[in-house]
Amino acid sequence: MSQQTARRGGTTWALVITSVAGFMAALDNLVVTTALPSIRKDLGGALGDLEWTVSAYTLTFAVLLMFGAALGDRFGRRRMFLAGLTVFTGASAAAAMATGIDSLIAARAVQGVGATIMMPLTLTLLTAAVPAAKRGMAYGIWGAVNGLAVASGPLIGGSLTEHVSWHWIFWLNVPLGIAVLPLARLRLAESHGTGAPLDVPGTLLASGGLFGIVYGLVRGPADGWTGPLVMTGLFAGAALLIGFVLYSLRAGNPMLPMRLFRSRAFSGINAASLLMFLGMFGSIFLLSQFMQGVLGYSPTEAGLRMLPWTGMPMLVAPIAGILSDRIGGRPVVATGLFLQAAGLGWLAVVVEAGVSYGSQLPGLIVSGIGMALFFAPASNLVMSSVRPREQGIASGANNALREVGGALGIAIMSSIFLAQGGYESAHAFVDGLKPALVTGSSVVALAGVAALLVPTRRRAAELATAGERTAEPVLEPASS
């Protein structure tokens, strides 16, 4: 079956549609966090219930990402993208109209289901619509929009809650979804993957394993790492994922072929993505609280002061995409990760109870530039590390690893924060924040090392040539 069966629109339409849809899905990862006090005031519920308004989305989103990508490969990527966008938009409206905490949690879980189908297919559909020579710039814009959504979630949520109503953090998605649906139907080209039947055993093993791991990571800081449900989730999840790997090594048409990890390009960029999101999510989670709880800024003021970091992708990521087209993705990604590690290290040194904003600014700017240099070339490397018919599952796997990395980052850095400090006073908060930021910086630096494992463009070309001569599958596909 051909990868692309129709071409209804050009690169611009594909870029606009996939960027808006990706923004909606990425935004809802953290947009609720600053609205929790207002939600509790209106709907009631215990602290654990409020946490589930965040966790319900994270769980369904992370757990089903590879399954969503597999559905697109099997039944048509545009068709399943439209289905996912419809579910996400409808669930957003249901969340906005929720009259109780239980109905809000249920709507958030359904939102996650829609996002898990929609999100990995945005990158696959964009790849199918853009010529190979121009993908760096397209990925740059797509990555800038998605990066901005992840990082600005607390700002947007806080601003809407503070100046309008918490309901509007969900209503915001509805007009966007209604506008994008007909455009996607008319302007996106349909494409398929291998056309192989769905891998039901692999889907159950992977989804169950990811559910256990993400559940344990999400609930660990609140319930305690030795809690029975947390321990069961982590150990059962790990066992199921091991079973998934063993099954996939022997299956005829596995959902995620393990041979892909024999490629240095695929393994290196996925390891870098997991580690980068671990360090980034954990750092943003704690720094936003530091600015509000210690420095006394409102949610809106804190979000605005984070813009040198969170807003930088809008300026730098398109340039990063162009650079990756010209010099290859590996040096751009590695440079970005090392810059972000340096920025976090700077913040770890300067944060104090009475630190001035000017002292924090260099670290925020350097971290923002580093994050911006990562997003676009990383997406290019992921998609170019596999065959075109396998790009859907590659996107799903990369997005799943990013989500697990984000959940892991918040869990690990929160645990370090609570072990070394706490919320009792400004000085206690700083005592916990400093070692957590050092950890985040170190993890992102490790991500830079992982990015260096990706073969250079020249080496990838040599491997491709060798593969053609021997008529064997190329284990190190061309990387950008």
Side-chain angles (χ1 to χ4, degrees):
M1 187 176 292
S2 63
Q3 183 201 8
Q4 186 169 336
T5 59
R7 179 171 296 277
R8 300 190 175 201
T11 298
T12 301
W13 276 115
L15 183 58
V16 170
I17 293 166
T18 58
S19 294
V20 171
F23 179 90
M24 293 164 62
L27 179 69
D28 274 58
N29 266 306
L30 294 174
V31 73
V32 179
T33 53
T34 48
L36 292 180
S38 296
I39 293 174
R40 184 178 186 181
K41 182 179 179 180
D42 284 356
L43 302 183
L47 178 61
D49 296 326
L50 293 176
E51 291 172 347
W52 273 111
T53 63
V54 179
S55 302
Y57 183 85
T58 303
L59 274 171
T60 53
F61 189 28
V63 165
L64 298 174
L65 271 165
M66 286 194 291
F67 180 57
L71 286 175
D73 285 349
R74 178 68 180 87
F75 297 110
R77 291 161 180 165
R78 187 190 64 186
R79 177 184 299 172
M80 295 312 302
F81 172 80
L82 291 169
L85 181 57
T86 300
V87 171
F88 182 85
T89 303
S92 297
M97 295 185 292
T99 57
I101 194 69
D102 291 337
S103 59
L104 177 59
I105 292 171
R108 288 284 288 164
V110 178
Q111 260 193 315
V113 173
T116 203
I117 299 172
M118 176 176 68
M119 185 64 176
L121 297 179
T122 60
L123 192 56
T124 314
L125 288 165
L126 182 61
T127 301
V130 180
K134 297 181 180 180
R135 284 176 187 160
M137 180 184 294
Y139 290 147
I141 298 172
W142 180 90
V145 174
N146 281 269
L148 180 64
V150 170
S152 64
L155 168 61
I156 294 174
S159 299
L160 288 173
T161 301
E162 185 177 342
H163 300 295
V164 189
S165 165
W166 66 264
H167 301 82
W168 279 93
I169 63 179
F170 302 115
W171 280 126
L172 178 66
N173 293 322
V174 176
L176 290 175
I178 292 174
V180 170
L181 275 168
L183 289 175
R185 178 68 180 84
L186 295 172
R187 297 293 182 176
L188 288 180
E190 184 61 281
S191 62
H192 295 79
T194 61
L198 288 176
D199 178 13
V200 176
T203 298
L204 294 175
L205 287 169
S207 299
L210 287 173
F211 179 86
I213 294 292
V214 176
Y215 177 87
L217 294 175
V218 167
R219 301 305 306 168
D223 297 347
W225 292 104
T226 57
L229 289 178
V230 172
M231 294 287 288
T232 300
L234 292 174
F235 282 104
L240 288 172
L241 288 180
I242 292 172
F244 171 69
V245 172
L246 295 176
Y247 164 81
S248 298
L249 287 171
R250 300 179 180 181
N253 292 294
M255 181 174 65
L256 178 61
M258 290 296 111
R259 60 177 172 73
L260 296 180
F261 290 96
R262 295 162 62 189
S263 162
R264 278 173 48 203
F266 187 80
S267 297
I269 194 57
N270 278 291
S273 296
L274 185 147
L275 293 170
M276 185 271 189
F277 269 68
L278 192 159
M280 180 190 71
F281 260 72
S283 299
I284 290 177
F285 179 75
L286 291 175
L287 282 170
S288 63
Q289 295 183 66
F290 169 74
M291 287 191 169
Q292 295 178 60
V294 176
L295 300 183
Y297 299 128
S298 71
T300 303
E301 291 170 338
L304 289 173
R305 283 166 174 78
M306 291 281 283
L307 279 178
W309 181 359
T310 60
M312 197 62 70
M314 291 299 293
L315 301 176
V316 179
I319 299 173
I322 295 172
L323 285 175
S324 72
D325 282 338
R326 294 184 177 179
I327 65 174
R330 186 179 82 156
V332 182
V333 167
T335 299
L337 290 169
F338 289 129
L339 282 175
Q340 187 171 359
L344 290 175
W346 175 280
L347 291 170
V349 170
V350 304
V351 289
E352 298 291 348
V355 64
S356 68
Y357 182 63
S359 298
Q360 302 171 66
L361 193 57
L364 295 172
I365 293 173
V366 171
S367 294
I369 294 173
M371 184 171 69
L373 289 174
F374 169 84
F375 278 114
S379 299
N380 206 345
L381 287 171
V382 169
M383 301 305 279
S384 62
S385 68
V386 298
R387 299 175 178 89
R389 64 181 183 177
E390 295 168 331
Q391 287 174 341
I393 195 58
S395 175
N398 184 255
N399 276 281
L401 287 171
R402 290 184 180 192
E403 291 299 313
V404 171
L408 186 62
I410 292 175
I412 290 176
M413 294 175 69
S414 294
S415 297
I416 293 171
F417 167 79
L418 293 173
Q420 300 296 320
Y423 293 96
E424 297 81 13
S425 67
H427 291 289
F429 196 102
V430 170
D431 288 342
L433 178 61
K434 280 181 175 287
L437 288 177
V438 170
T439 301
S441 175
S442 301
V443 169
V444 176
L446 283 177
V449 174
L452 293 177
L453 297 175
V454 176
T456 63
R457 180 176 287 176
R458 177 180 297 179
R459 175 59 178 159
E462 292 173 355
L463 289 165
T465 301
E468 290 174 1
R469 286 200 305 265
T470 60
E472 292 291 331
V474 180
L475 299 181
E476 298 284 4
S479 63
S480 298

